[in-house]
Amino acid sequence: DNASSTTSEVTLIAKQINCRNPTSFGDRRKASSYDVEANFYARHALLLTDICCQGLHVEKSSLSSEQTKDCRITIIMSPLPNPTLYNISGPTSDAALRSVARLHAHYWGEERSSKAVTEGGLAPQGTYWYLDTRPDEHDNLSPRGLEGQLKQKAHVLDQKLKQHAYQTIVHGDLKACNMSLANDPRYVTLVDFQYAGRSCCAKDLAY
């Protein structure tokens, strides 16, 4: 038989997280964010093929005892089409806005965004920064000047954003290093969905 065979290399991204006995406020939040990311790649990424890597395999395991609560998560996903970005400006800003607009549109409204949380395992409150998870930072704000005014109004602003009509699923950590130019340069490919969850769409843009 003169038939010949060739092999080609396949590049994948493998992300493995070990959360060992998270006890502090920050550690528990971090552990929860990894669970959100695993849920995103297991249940949502295939519906958003034009703006994110594809989740090829997701595995979660936990080991609990009276002393410890350990969690291990493995996420295998398709590779980024290009290196991650260092800054966002000009045409790249437009590409980022187009991609995040597609994400927001997919989950737009009360029904879709709520279902992505209750059935899809995303965060009830998206974004890396929001008031419920930053009590120490809020307490440490100066009571004087502009900081004092923000501190005084923070809870009111937070509630208005939570109740705003423009609810969707946000990326939650929308910065340059979490993006790569897509094969179609009119768009970017988004990565790092640890803080994906329900929120007012403006939070992604403000971040």
Side-chain angles (χ1 to χ4, degrees):
D1 187 354
N2 294 323
S4 61
S5 62
T6 59
T7 59
S8 59
E9 292 184 355
V10 176
T11 301
L12 302 174
I13 298 174
K15 184 172 184 178
Q16 189 170 59
I17 305 105
N18 294 320
C19 299
R20 182 171 177 79
N21 197 28
T23 55
S24 70
F25 185 88
D27 285 347
R28 290 196 302 272
R29 180 171 187 252
K30 195 74 171 177
S32 176
S33 78
Y34 289 128
D35 194 54
V36 166
E37 185 172 36
N39 290 336
F40 177 85
Y41 282 108
R43 305 177 189 178
H44 300 268
L46 283 174
L47 303 175
L48 298 162
T49 55
D50 50 349
I51 61 167
C52 69
C53 298
Q54 298 312 294
L56 305 176
H57 176 75
V58 176
E59 183 175 319
K60 295 191 285 186
S61 62
S62 60
L63 177 64
S64 301
S65 67
E66 292 183 1
Q67 290 77 30
T68 63
K69 183 178 181 181
D70 297 347
C71 179
R72 294 180 181 177
I73 296 173
T74 300
I75 304 171
I76 298 178
M77 63 189 87
S78 59
L80 287 166
N82 291 292
T84 53
L85 301 174
Y86 291 97
N87 57 67
I88 307 172
S89 61
T92 308
S93 296
D94 295 338
L97 286 173
R98 288 187 192 100
S99 294
V100 78
R102 285 191 171 189
L103 173 69
H104 292 170
H106 185 77
Y107 296 103
W108 192 260
E110 178 74 26
E111 182 178 354
R112 287 185 180 181
S113 59
S114 296
K115 187 176 180 180
V117 173
T118 58
E119 298 181 17
L122 300 185
Q125 182 67 23
T127 74
Y128 183 77
W129 291 95
Y130 64 94
L131 193 59
D132 295 340
T133 61
R134 303 294 172 179
D136 294 337
E137 288 88 339
H138 179 263
D139 290 343
N140 291 332
L141 286 172
S142 170
R144 301 180 179 85
L146 179 59
E147 273 198 13
Q149 295 178 47
L150 289 172
K151 184 175 185 177
Q152 184 179 11
K153 300 294 185 182
H155 288 285
V156 174
L157 292 171
D158 181 61
Q159 283 303 311
K160 286 187 176 296
L161 286 168
K162 288 177 178 176
Q163 296 166 4
H164 199 281
Y166 294 165
Q167 296 296 313
T168 185
I169 293 298
V170 297
H171 177 276
D173 196 10
L174 200 65
K175 54 191 178 184
C177 64
N178 286 335
M179 302 180 195
S180 160
L181 272 181
N183 290 324
D184 180 345
R186 295 175 301 168
Y187 298 93
V188 298
T189 298
L190 303 172
V191 292
D192 194 356
F193 284 84
Q194 288 175 231
Y195 299 98
R198 190 172 182 273
S199 188
C200 173
C201 61
K203 287 190 175 183
D204 259 346
L205 304 182
Y207 189 84

